Amino acid sequence: MSSLSPSLSPCNFAMSPSELTSNGSSSGTFVHPENGFKDPLSSLDSEKVMMEFLQQSSVKGIDDHLFEFSEALRTVAKALRRVAEGKASAQAEAAEWKRKYELERTRNLSKEFRELSFGDHHDTESDRTNNEKFCGKHGICSQHILRDGEIDFDSKVFHNKIMRKASFRLSWGCNGEKNGQHKHDIVSFERGNITTAERSSKQISLRWESPPQKVLILTKPNSISVQVLCAEMVRWLKHQKNIDVLVEPRVRNELLLDDSSYSFVQTWENDEEILHLHTKVDLVVTLGGDGTVLWAASIFKGPVPPLVPFSLGSLGFMTPFQSEHYQEYLDAIIKGPISITLRHRLQCHVIRDAAKDELETEEPILALNEVTIDRGISSYLTNLECYCDNSFVTCVQGDGLILSTTSGSTAYSLAAGGSMVHPQVPGILFTPICPHSLSFRPLILPENVTVRVQVPFNSRGHAWVSFDGKDRKQLAAGDALVCSMAPWPVPTACQVNSTHDFLRSIHEDLHWNLRKTQSFDGPKELS
C-alpha cells in the first residue's frame, strides 16, 4: 500500500472524536478523489491516526486550561454564596428591627387612641369587666392568660392605620378564689405565635431592688447547737450587717435568758401579726432540718418571702446550706443575685356533707409536701372516689391515697412507690398507698387541675386526712377534700442552682443508685 497522501496527513486531520463510530471508523468519508472512489484507508489506520492526535501536547494544554477555568468558577461560586448569606443575614436583621419598630409604633398608637377615645379610667373598668364576665355562680371563671399587649377593640379608624396579624386571646377555666385557682402566665404570645414561657424552662434568679432590712429566723426547738448558732447569727446580722432580726417568742425568751443585750430582737404577740409577716419580713432563715422548712412554710398563709434553709437536722433534703459557713452564704445572699427554687404548695379545703354548696368550706390549709388520706385505726380498706376537674378518675381501695407536690415527691410518695420529680416541675402527684389492685400505678397530674376526693355513702368506715403530717381531720361518709395548686409558692434559695441541689440531695441523702463498681478483672467479651 502506498503512503498517505498529503491531504490525509495527521496535521490536516480535522475530524473531532465525536464524529467517530464505536469501532473507531469515521462516520463519513475523508476525501473524495477526482476519479470518484473512496480512499482505501482501513479502520485500523483511522484509529491509529486519532490516537496520535489525542496524544499531542495541544490537547493536553486544553485540558489544563479547562481545569484551571473550573477552579476559578468554584472560587467565584464560593464568593457569591458568601455574599448571598451575608445579604440574607442583613435582611433578617432588618426585618427584626422593622418588626420591633412596628410593634412599638402599634403600641404607641393604641395608647394614644385609648387616651383620646376612652380615657384611662374607662379602659381599666372595661378590662376588669372583660376578665370577670365569664364567672359563674359557683365561682367557675375563665381568665385571660395570653395577650400580645396590643389593643383589640373594634375601630375602623384604628384598623385602617394598623394592619397586622390577627390577634387572639386564650382563656382557661378555674374554680375561683375560694379554691385558690388564679391566673398563671404559663405561656407567652406575640403576633399570633404561642411559645413556652421562659420561667418554666430556665433557672430562676432573684435580684434585690433594695437590700433586705429585716430577717426572720426560725429554729428547731430543743437543740443546744441550734440555740448557740442562732445567738451568733442574730448578733452578726445586727452589728455587722445592720439588719433587724425577728424571731419566735420562744426564741426571744431563750436569748434574753442568756444575755439581756438581745433586747433589740423583735417578735410578734398574737396570731393577727403572723398573718401580716410577709409585709414586714424581707428574708427568712431556717436553722434545722426539712421539718423546720415545713414549719416556716406553714406560718405564711399567703405570699412567702425568700427562704434560706441551713442544714442542722438528720436528713436535710431541702436544706443545702451548711451552718459552718453561714456568714459567707448570708453575705452573698444579701448582696444578690441568688438562684431560687419555687416550691409549689397545695391548697386544700374540707367540704362537709352538711354544706349547702362547694363554697361552704372550712378554713383552707396549705401543704408543702403532701396531703395524706388514710383509713386511720379502722380495719377496713379505705373507699375513696376521686375526681379531676369533675371527671371521674378512679375508686381507691387500699390503705389510702397521697396527693403530693413535686417537692414532696421524695418523701412519703416515694416510699409508697411514686416517682422522684424535680421540685420546679409544676404538678400534683397522685400516689396510692398499698392499693388492693396490682394495676394501680401512680399518676402525675398538671398544675392547673383540681382534685376532689370524696368518701362515698356506702363506705364501711371513716377516712382521715393530714397535711404535712399535721392538722389531722376526720372525713365521714359524704365529706370531700378539694385540693388544687396554691398561688403562693415557697421560694427557697439554692446553693448552686435548682437542678444541682436536687441531684446532690438524691445522691447524698437518698443514696440514689449507689452500688459498688463492677470489677475489671472479670471475664472479657470475646472479640
Side-chain angles (χ1 to χ4, degrees), residues 53 56-69:
F53 173 75
Q56 292 181 2
S57 61
S58 60
V59 177
K60 294 182 179 179
I62 293 174
D63 291 340
D64 293 339
H65 289 304
L66 288 176
F67 180 77
E68 294 177 359
F69 182 69

Side-chain angles (χ1 to χ4, degrees), residues 59-263:
V59 177
K60 294 182 179 179
I62 293 174
D63 291 340
D64 293 339
H65 289 304
L66 288 176
F67 180 77
E68 294 177 359
F69 182 69
S70 64
E71 289 297 324
L73 287 179
R74 283 197 193 94
T75 304
V76 173
K78 291 180 181 179
L80 291 176
R81 185 166 58 252
R82 284 195 291 266
V83 172
E85 292 175 353
K87 181 179 179 181
S89 176
Q91 288 177 347
E93 185 177 0
E96 178 66 17
W97 281 105
K98 182 179 179 182
R99 185 191 65 81
K100 293 181 180 179
Y101 168 76
E102 290 179 351
L103 182 61
E104 186 66 24
R105 180 172 176 271
T106 300
R107 289 173 178 171
N108 293 336
L109 288 176
S110 63
K111 181 179 179 181
E112 181 181 355
F113 187 90
R114 184 163 53 245
E115 292 176 353
L116 293 176
S117 301
F118 302 103
D120 293 337
H121 176 73
H122 183 274
D123 185 69
T124 302
E125 292 294 324
S126 176
D127 288 345
R128 185 177 60 84
T129 304
N130 290 335
N131 285 338
E132 296 177 354
K133 65 181 179 181
F134 297 101
C135 294
K137 63 179 180 179
H138 296 295
I140 306 299
C141 300
S142 178
Q143 299 178 343
H144 299 300
I145 62 171
L146 299 182
R147 63 181 65 195
D148 59 357
E150 301 179 21
I151 197 166
D152 59 349
F153 47 77
D154 189 10
S155 173
K156 293 182 179 180
V157 177
F158 184 76
H159 284 287
N160 288 336
K161 291 183 177 180
I162 303 174
M163 298 299 294
R164 58 181 175 86
K165 190 173 181 178
S167 175
F168 62 87
R169 293 184 179 183
L170 300 184
S171 60
W172 66 323
C174 65
N175 285 338
E177 295 184 359
K178 276 286 186 179
N179 289 333
Q181 290 290 304
H182 294 272
K183 183 174 69 174
H184 297 280
D185 296 325
I186 57 175
V187 289
S188 61
F189 162 65
E190 183 179 1
R191 298 184 67 81
N193 301 319
I194 301 173
T195 57
T196 304
E198 291 185 357
R199 76 165 181 86
S200 63
S201 59
K202 293 186 178 180
Q203 173 62 44
I204 303 174
S205 179
L206 186 147
R207 295 179 179 272
W208 300 105
E209 295 184 355
S210 59
Q213 299 296 323
K214 181 173 290 188
V215 174
L216 169 63
I217 300 179
L218 299 175
T219 64
K220 180 177 68 173
N222 304 323
S223 175
I224 302 300
S225 60
V226 171
Q227 294 179 10
V228 173
L229 178 62
C230 180
E232 294 179 3
M233 186 178 295
V234 167
R235 188 175 296 276
W236 180 79
L237 286 173
K238 182 62 178 179
H239 298 296
Q240 299 296 327
K241 296 298 179 181
N242 195 24
I243 294 177
D244 296 333
V245 180
L246 187 71
V247 297
E248 300 173 75
R250 170 187 58 84
V251 177
R252 187 175 188 274
N253 293 334
E254 293 174 353
L255 292 174
L256 290 176
L257 285 176
D258 294 338
D259 192 344
S260 60
S261 62
Y262 285 100
S263 58

Side-chain angles (χ1 to χ4, degrees), residues 157 188 204 235 284 291 302 352 369 393 396 413 418 463 468-469 485 490 522:
V157 177
S188 61
I204 303 174
R235 188 175 296 276
V284 180
R352 299 299 178 183
N369 264 359
V393 178
V396 177
S413 175
D468 285 338
M485 193 70 72
V490 179

Side-chain angles (χ1 to χ4, degrees), residues 492-505:
T492 58
C494 302
Q495 185 179 7
V496 181
N497 57 58
S498 180
T499 301
H500 178 275
D501 290 1
F502 173 70
L503 295 177
R504 181 202 59 82
S505 297

Side-chain angles (χ1 to χ4, degrees), residues 8 13 15-32 38-39 41-43 46:
L8 294 178
F13 191 83
M15 185 171 291
S16 64
S18 62
E19 294 175 347
L20 294 175
T21 60
S22 61
N23 60 359
S25 62
S26 174
S27 60
T29 58
F30 295 107
V31 177
H32 292 279
K38 296 181 179 178
D39 190 288
L41 186 64
S42 64
S43 60
S46 300

Side-chain angles (χ1 to χ4, degrees), residues 436-449:
H436 203 252
S437 172
L438 294 178
S439 61
F440 197 164
R441 293 292 181 260
L443 297 176
I444 299 179
L445 303 172
E447 65 169 335
N448 61 302
V449 302

